[in-house]
Amino acid sequence: DALIWTRRVRGCLLGGALGDALGAPFEGHSTVTAQEIQAWIDADEPLTWTDDTALQLALATYLAELGHPDDFDEDQLALRFAHTWDAEPDRGYGANPPKIFRDVLAGSSWKQASVSSFDGAGSLGNGGAMRVAPVATLPLSAPEIAAIARRSAAITHAHPQGQDGAALVAVAARCAFTSADVHAQTHTVLAQCTDQLQTPEMRRALDAVSLSMRLAEPGEVARLTGSGIAAREAAPAAIAAFLRHPADPVAAIMFAIAMGGDTDTVAAMAGSLAGAYAGENSLPEKMLHRLERRHHIVHLADRLATRTWPRRSS
Ligand code: F2R
Ligand code: MG
Ligand code: MG
Ligand code: MG
C-alpha cells in the first residue's frame, strides 16, 4: 500500500546516500579490508556524500516536480544538474560533467557538449547510472523506465555504454521496488535487465554477474565484473552486491565497498537497490543519524512517493 511504497522510496534515496558516504573514503583503492570497512561503519563521524548523491537528489527533485512522465524534458533536467554542480562544485565530480554543466549555465546546449566529449565517443563513465535509481519510481513499464533512464544519462553520457549502465540500474531498481522475493527471483531480475540492454558489452557484463553468483568473496566477484569507473563495470558490480544481500542494504554496501575500485559509486547503487527492496526500516538508525541532510532526503522521498503513487503493476 501507500505506506509501504513511501518506506521503499525513502529506503532507495537513503540507501543510496549511505552507500555513497560510506564508500567515499575508499574510492580508487584497489583493495579494502573487512576490518577497514567495519571500523568506518562503527565510527561516529558524520557521513558526507559526494557527486553521486548530489545528482541523484537533483534527479529525484526534478521527478517530484514533474507533472507527468510525458513531460520529462532533458533541457530542464540538464539545467537542474548544472545548478546543483554550480552550488557545490567540490563534491568530487568526474572530469567531464562539469565541462557540460558550464556550457549549460552559459546557455549552450548539453547535447553538443555531451556528444563531442572524449573525442566524439561520449562518456562511458558510470555517472549516468549512479544517479538514476529515482527514475524507477515512475509508474511505468520496464521499457519505458529504461528509455527515460537513457535520456537522463545522455545529458552527460553520450556513449551507448554510459546509457546502458543507466538503463541497467533503473530496471534493476524497478525490480527491487516491485519484487516480492528477490532471493527466489534472481534469474528473473537479471533476465528483465538483459531485455533492456542495447550494447553487447553490457550484456556480457551482466553474464559475468550470473557467473559470479556462485562466488562468495567480493574480490573474486570484482575479478569477473570489474568495479571501476566505467559504467560496464560499476553497474553490474552493484547488481552483484545487491543480489547477494537484497534485504540488507548495509551488507550490500559493505560487499560493494569490499570489491574496491569506484567504491562510493558501486556502494551508492547497491544501497539504492537494496533500500528500494527492503525499505527504510532496514537502515540502522545509528547510521542514519550520521548521514548528511538526512531529513531533507526523507522529505524529498515523501514528495516523490506521493507523486508516483499508485504504481501501475505490470
Ligand atoms: N570523479 C570521481 N572520482 C575520481 C576522483 C579520484 C578519487 N578522489 C581517488 O581517490 O582517486 N568520482 C565521481 O566520478 C565518477 C562518475 O564520473 P562520470 O560522471 O561518469 O564522469 P566522466 O568524466 O564522464 O567519466 C569518468 C571517467 O571515465 C573515463 N572515461 C569516460 N568516458 C571515456 C571514454 N569514452 N574514453 C576513455 N575514458 C573515458 C575518464 O577517465 C573519465 O574521467 C563516480 O565515481 C563519482 O563518484
Ligand atoms: Mg562520488
Ligand atoms: Mg526541450
Ligand atoms: Mg565514485
Side-chain angles (χ1 to χ4, degrees):
D1 59 11
L3 181 62
I4 292 174
W5 176 241
T6 298
R7 288 196 181 130
R8 286 185 155 199
V9 177
R10 286 185 181 187
C12 179
L13 297 193
L14 290 167
L18 276 179
D20 178 11
L22 286 166
F26 307 103
E27 190 184 32
H29 296 204
S30 52
T31 57
V32 188
T33 66
Q35 294 90 318
E36 282 178 292
I37 301 170
Q38 194 61 53
W40 177 224
I41 294 268
D42 293 339
D44 224 6
E45 283 148 73
L47 289 171
T48 307
W49 31 262
T50 76
D51 59 322
D52 306 49
T53 300
L55 291 182
Q56 169 146 313
L57 298 180
L59 180 47
T61 304
Y62 176 70
L63 296 176
E65 290 170 4
L66 196 64
H68 186 276
D70 289 349
D71 299 333
F72 183 89
D73 184 300
E74 291 90 329
D75 298 338
Q76 290 174 11
L77 181 58
L79 204 52
R80 189 172 295 267
F81 284 159
H83 282 300
T84 299
W85 163 75
D86 192 44
E88 297 176 325
D90 299 327
R91 288 260 183 205
Y93 283 84
N96 201 58
K99 297 181 194 168
I100 297 171
F101 299 151
R102 237 176 248 120
D103 279 8
V104 168
L105 291 176
S108 309
S109 112
W110 54 268
K111 194 162 197 173
Q112 174 59 28
S114 183
V115 166
S116 62
S117 33
F118 298 99
D119 295 324
S123 175
L124 48 68
N126 56 31
M130 75 186 183
R131 65 189 182 223
V132 81
V135 168
T137 61
L138 295 174
L140 300 172
S141 68
E144 290 167 329
I145 292 288
I148 292 191
R150 286 178 200 289
R151 290 170 62 193
S152 75
I155 293 164
T156 45
H157 291 69
H159 195 290
Q161 287 179 33
Q163 295 174 27
D164 241 3
L168 173 55
V169 173
V171 174
R174 186 179 184 279
C175 291
F177 275 126
T178 55
S179 292
D181 184 352
V182 164
H183 276 298
Q185 293 162 351
T186 296
H187 294 288
T188 314
V189 171
L190 289 171
Q192 287 194 25
C193 290
T194 304
D195 281 349
Q196 302 307 325
L197 298 178
Q198 294 181 353
T199 69
E201 294 83 0
M202 198 63 81
R203 285 169 177 274
R204 271 201 298 277
L206 215 54
D207 288 343
V209 174
S210 289
L211 288 173
S212 79
M213 289 307 293
R214 62 192 165 76
L215 303 173
E217 292 302 317
E220 293 181 313
V221 176
R223 269 192 292 281
L224 275 184
T225 62
S227 57
I229 204 162
R232 68 172 176 275
E233 294 192 11
I239 310 271
F242 162 59
L243 290 177
R244 263 164 197 75
H245 301 286
D248 186 347
V250 174
I253 286 167
M254 289 175 76
F255 190 95
I257 295 172
M259 293 173 91
D262 195 352
T263 49
D264 65 328
T265 303
V266 178
M269 295 187 286
S272 293
L273 294 170
Y277 178 63
E280 172 191 37
N281 294 356
S282 64
L283 302 168
E285 174 58 32
K286 74 173 173 42
M287 230 164 265
L288 289 176
H289 96 266
R290 293 168 60 193
L291 182 64
E292 179 184 9
R293 300 196 72 192
R294 171 233 187 133
H295 297 292
H296 165 75
I297 295 172
V298 167
H299 180 67
L300 172 57
D302 289 357
R303 285 201 292 144
L304 184 59
T306 303
R307 167 68 70 187
T308 52
W309 179 264
R311 298 185 53 83
R312 203 201 300 162
S313 55
S314 69

